[in-house]
């Protein structure tokens, strides 16, 4: 039917190789995608034989046009022919001037222009604004574990989506100055819902209907510095190159002239690699800038207005100054104060939906050697070393257990937190004993009682070997009667890392906090 065809077209367009505009802020103006990749994806998403034959025929004709092409690894879906295809009618209408020029300049493609008109018309008719239908497309359902948020007590935002043909779900955290009401977006992240097609390609495809989702925010902000002045500002991720981020702002020449400009950073080294300006006029034209010592750059601050569109303001009145060393950026604890947490949803018809909550952040005086992790599924949060990889979460449906794993870089220290549907402290003592008994050649060297998260707990200290190397383990069993849940916390490490492992375990047990997990 028409609805399923429009859905397949929208998903294919949303996942097709995208080519950026002149600047990160003009990607939608350019709205250029690889035509061959789009047609290939369309055949993967569509189950309509007539559509698939038409797509195959057109792809073959387009491929015959390409004599030679080359692309970097950052453009895996580039095949040599791109075409103008805004992602929905809202973007198409926003580009009215460009679209009008396009219609005149490519009058020789009337069928493609007709295709765009039909696509936008059909999607808008099929998916009218949900507000009129009384639907709640996005709704933040909870912020866990609650209270004042910080790098030690990071929030996990749970939210529901209940829409049709959702193309994009984006999280943002915006600082709000309580005195002036001025807003600064300090974090933004697109959320993904991955699916692997029959062809083996991984794509983003959000399910229709009700879904419960979650996002963890680290309560951090990016800060750009020239070595003397530091300014928090939003990083813009490059759709063409996942290893690059940019910041926007105004470049100020020595003579006082100004121009809109962008500074690009390598994401791994966090060092500026180039600067380019934009010649302003009817159509922008980027050009490389070669900063001279003393010239300046004033970043842009961004926030969302009530309609979900971006508003831009200068980042104060103290610019960064170019010198002998390139700009760098780092992640620091977010400014203490009030924040608006927002989930922004956009669908195939261009409808935008927002759900927001206000939280309080207090990062003052905290130990930055540790960061917090909130485990919503297991109902706990705790501290772990700042420079360790983020913990992972594993669910074993067959054994009816779920486990959080925390390890250092080389996995010479491992901490496992396993959830049990227990009924008493005695149940958890038995679970700990069984746990150690199942470890090959494990020998118990000590046992006793120790507090964890405000509850009495029981521990077993043990030793074992792995490939002839001695390892040391400590498993602690705690039962939380209010949650009718038990937890086993197991640490194992090598002799060389024993002191570091004990420090990490002590920080975890001292900070451990239990809370009721959300339903669903």
């Amino acid at each position: 039917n028409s609805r399923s065809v429009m859905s397949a077209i929208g998903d294919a367009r949303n996942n097709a190789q995208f080519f950026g505009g002149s600047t990160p802020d003009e990607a939608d103006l350019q709205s250029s995608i690889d035509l061959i990749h789009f047609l290939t994806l369309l055949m993967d998403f569509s189950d309509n034989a007539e559509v698939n034959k038409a797509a195959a025929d057109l792809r073959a004709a387009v491929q015959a046009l390409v004599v030679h092409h080359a692309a970097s690894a950052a453009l895996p879906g580039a095949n040599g022919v791109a075409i103008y295809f805004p992602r929905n009618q809202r973007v198409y209408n926003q580009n009215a001037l460009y679209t009008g020029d396009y219609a005149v300049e490519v009058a020789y493609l009337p069928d493609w222009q007709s295709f765009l008109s039909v696509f936008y018309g059909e999607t808008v008719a099929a998916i009218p604004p949900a507000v009129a239908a009384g639907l709640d497309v996005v709704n933040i359902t909870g912020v866990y574990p609650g209270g004042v948020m910080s790098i030690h007590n990071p929030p996990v935002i749970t939210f529901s989506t209940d829409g049709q043909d959702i193309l994009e779900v984006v999280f943002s955290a915006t600082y709000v100055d309580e005195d002036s009401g001025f807003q600064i977006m300090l974090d933004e992240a697109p959320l993904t819902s991955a699916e692997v097609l029959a062809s083996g390609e991984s794509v983003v495809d959000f399910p229709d209907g009700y879904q419960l989702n979650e996002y963890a925010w680290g309560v951090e902000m990016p800060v750009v510095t020239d070595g003397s002045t530091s300014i928090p500002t939003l990083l813009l991720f490059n759709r063409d190159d996942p290893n690059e981020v940019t910041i926007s702002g105004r470049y100020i020449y020595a003579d006082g002239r100004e121009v809109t400009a962008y500074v690009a950073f390598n994401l791994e080294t966090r060092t500026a690699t180039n600067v380019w300006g934009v010649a302003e006029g009817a159509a922008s034209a980027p050009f490389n800038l070669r900063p001279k010592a003393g010239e300046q750059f004033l970043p842009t601050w961004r926030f969302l207005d009530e309609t979900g569109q971006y508003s831009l303001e200068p980042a104060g009145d103290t610019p960064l100054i170019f010198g002998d060393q390139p700009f760098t950026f780092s992640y620091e604890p977010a400014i203490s104060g009030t924040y608006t947490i927002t989930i922004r949803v956009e669908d195939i018809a261009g409808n935008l939906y927002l759900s927001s909550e206000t939280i309080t952040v207090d990062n003052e005086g905290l130990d930055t050697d540790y960061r917090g992790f909130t485990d919503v599924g297991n109902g706990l949060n705790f501290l772990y070393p700042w420079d360790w990889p983020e913990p992972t979460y594993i669910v074993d449906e067959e054994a009816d257990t779920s486990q959080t794993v925390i390890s250092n870089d080389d996995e010479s220290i491992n901490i496992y937190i396993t959830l049990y549907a227990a009924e008493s402290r005695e149940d958890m003592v038995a679970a700990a004993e069984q746990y150690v008994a199942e470890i090959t050649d494990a020998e118990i060297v000590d046992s006793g009682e120790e507090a964890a998260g405000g509850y009495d707990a029981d521990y077993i200290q043990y030793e074992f070997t792995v490939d002839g190397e001695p390892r040391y383990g400590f498993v602690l069993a705690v039962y939380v009667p209010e949650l009718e849940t038990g937890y086993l916390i197991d640490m194992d490490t090598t002799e060389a890392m024993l002191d570091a492992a004990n420090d990490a375990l002590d920080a975890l047990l001292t900070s451990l906090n239990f809370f009721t997990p959300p339903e669903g």
Side-chain angles (χ1 to χ4, degrees):
N1 60 40
S2 175
R3 170 65 187 278
S4 64
V5 171
M6 295 303 112
S7 179
I9 292 171
D11 284 333
R13 189 268 173 233
N14 197 42
N15 286 280
Q17 179 65 65
F18 184 88
F19 303 102
S22 300
T23 73
D25 288 315
E26 293 181 324
D28 278 335
L29 179 64
Q30 206 87 347
S31 287
S32 180
I33 64 165
D34 187 89
L35 182 55
I36 293 173
H37 191 211
F38 163 71
L39 295 168
T40 301
L41 287 171
L42 178 56
M43 290 185 284
D44 283 333
F45 278 109
S46 171
D47 58 5
N48 184 296
E50 185 177 355
V51 168
N52 289 349
K53 182 180 184 308
D57 290 346
L58 178 56
R59 182 178 67 173
V62 175
Q63 287 172 327
L65 293 174
V66 181
V67 176
H68 172 76
H69 86 280
S72 69
L75 301 171
N79 295 283
V81 177
I83 198 162
Y84 178 64
F85 191 172
R87 65 179 185 269
N88 54 46
Q89 189 182 58
R90 180 180 59 80
V91 175
Y92 183 82
N93 290 341
Q94 284 177 344
N95 296 350
L97 177 61
Y98 187 88
T99 299
D101 292 341
Y102 177 83
V104 172
E105 293 176 8
V106 294
Y108 51 85
L109 289 178
D111 289 342
W112 182 255
Q113 295 187 46
S114 176
F115 162 77
L116 292 180
S117 296
V118 171
F119 173 69
Y120 298 133
E122 291 280 349
T123 54
V124 168
I127 312 174
V131 175
L135 299 178
D136 199 2
V137 173
V138 58
N139 180 43
I140 294 178
T141 56
V143 180
Y144 298 89
V148 176
M149 303 302 171
S150 69
I151 56 171
H152 285 185
N153 188 42
V156 172
I157 298 90
T158 60
F159 63 96
S160 64
T161 54
D162 190 4
Q164 303 295 315
D165 290 309
I166 291 173
L167 292 185
E168 189 174 66
V169 180
V170 179
F171 163 86
S172 64
T174 303
Y175 170 74
V176 182
D177 184 85
E178 293 185 351
D179 294 328
S180 66
F182 188 74
Q183 303 179 67
I184 310 171
M185 184 183 292
L186 294 176
D187 199 359
E188 184 178 56
L191 312 186
T192 60
S193 178
E195 176 183 330
V196 178
L197 300 175
S199 63
E201 182 168 358
S202 180
V203 296
V204 174
D205 186 18
F206 293 95
D208 290 345
Y210 182 85
Q211 301 289 324
L212 190 61
N213 317 270
E214 64 180 53
Y215 180 77
W217 182 43
V219 202
E220 300 171 308
M221 63 181 184
V223 175
V224 178
T225 181
D226 59 9
S228 177
T229 299
S230 298
I231 300 176
T233 189
L234 186 67
L235 301 178
L236 307 176
F237 287 85
N238 189 335
R239 298 190 193 186
D240 293 342
D241 186 350
N243 297 315
E244 182 179 273
V245 293
T246 60
I247 62 170
S248 62
R250 300 288 292 178
Y251 188 93
I252 306 170
Y253 291 93
D255 61 8
R257 288 180 298 123
E258 296 186 15
V259 65
T260 297
Y262 295 82
V263 180
F265 295 81
N266 179 282
L267 193 54
E268 182 176 346
T269 65
R270 300 183 179 179
T271 300
T273 55
N274 58 78
V275 184
W276 74 93
V278 180
E280 297 160 354
S284 64
F287 58 93
N288 285 327
L289 285 165
R290 300 185 184 278
K292 297 177 182 178
E295 293 185 325
Q296 302 173 342
F297 183 85
L298 184 62
T300 299
W301 281 333
R302 298 162 181 260
F303 60 93
L304 293 175
D305 64 20
E306 294 179 354
T307 68
Q309 304 295 320
Y310 292 101
S311 292
L312 281 65
E313 294 285 345
D317 54 10
T318 303
L320 303 171
I321 300 175
F322 292 99
D324 295 335
Q325 300 298 318
F327 295 169
T328 59
F329 80 87
S330 61
Y331 288 100
E332 298 183 4
I335 301 168
S336 296
T338 301
Y339 281 76
T340 300
I341 299 295
T342 300
I343 304 294
R344 178 178 182 267
V345 170
E346 182 175 10
D347 65 26
I348 193 176
N351 300 307
L352 288 174
Y353 304 98
L354 307 178
S355 181
S356 299
E357 289 288 337
T358 299
I359 66 170
T360 299
V361 167
D362 185 0
N363 276 324
E364 301 304 315
L366 298 181
D367 185 354
T368 55
D369 288 338
Y370 292 92
R371 68 170 70 233
F373 177 73
T374 299
D375 183 340
V376 170
N378 283 345
L380 72 160
N381 71 303
F382 52 84
L383 298 184
Y384 69 101
W386 186 278
D387 56 356
W388 283 20
E390 185 175 346
T392 57
Y393 186 58
I394 302 171
V395 176
D396 186 337
E397 295 182 357
E398 184 175 338
D400 193 27
T401 63
S402 56
Q403 186 177 73
T404 302
V405 183
I406 313 106
S407 303
N408 62 347
D409 282 326
D410 63 2
E411 298 183 353
S412 58
I413 304 173
N414 301 290
I415 300 175
Y416 308 91
I417 304 177
T418 308
L419 182 78
Y420 286 80
E423 296 181 355
S424 67
R425 180 177 173 182
E426 290 72 25
D427 285 350
M428 291 310 301
V429 171
E433 293 172 346
Q434 179 65 28
Y435 184 92
V436 175
E438 293 177 356
I439 299 173
T440 304
D441 298 327
E443 294 184 6
I444 296 175
V445 297
D446 192 17
S447 63
E449 298 183 0
E450 183 168 328
Y455 297 87
D456 292 332
D458 303 270
Y459 72 85
I460 298 174
Q461 188 176 342
Y462 61 95
E463 297 177 359
F464 64 113
T465 60
V466 176
D467 298 328
E469 180 185 23
R471 292 187 73 92
Y472 301 84
F474 179 96
V475 61
L476 183 133
V478 56
Y479 178 67
V480 182
E482 295 88 346
L483 303 181
E484 297 182 344
T485 302
Y487 301 82
L488 278 188
I489 302 171
D490 174 48
M491 180 273 289
D492 78 72
T493 188
T494 63
E495 184 174 9
M497 298 300 293
L498 190 55
D499 288 343
N502 284 331
D503 288 344
L505 183 62
D506 287 345
L508 187 153
L509 296 179
T510 302
S511 63
L512 195 59
N513 172 50
F514 300 99
F515 60 89
T516 303
E519 296 181 1

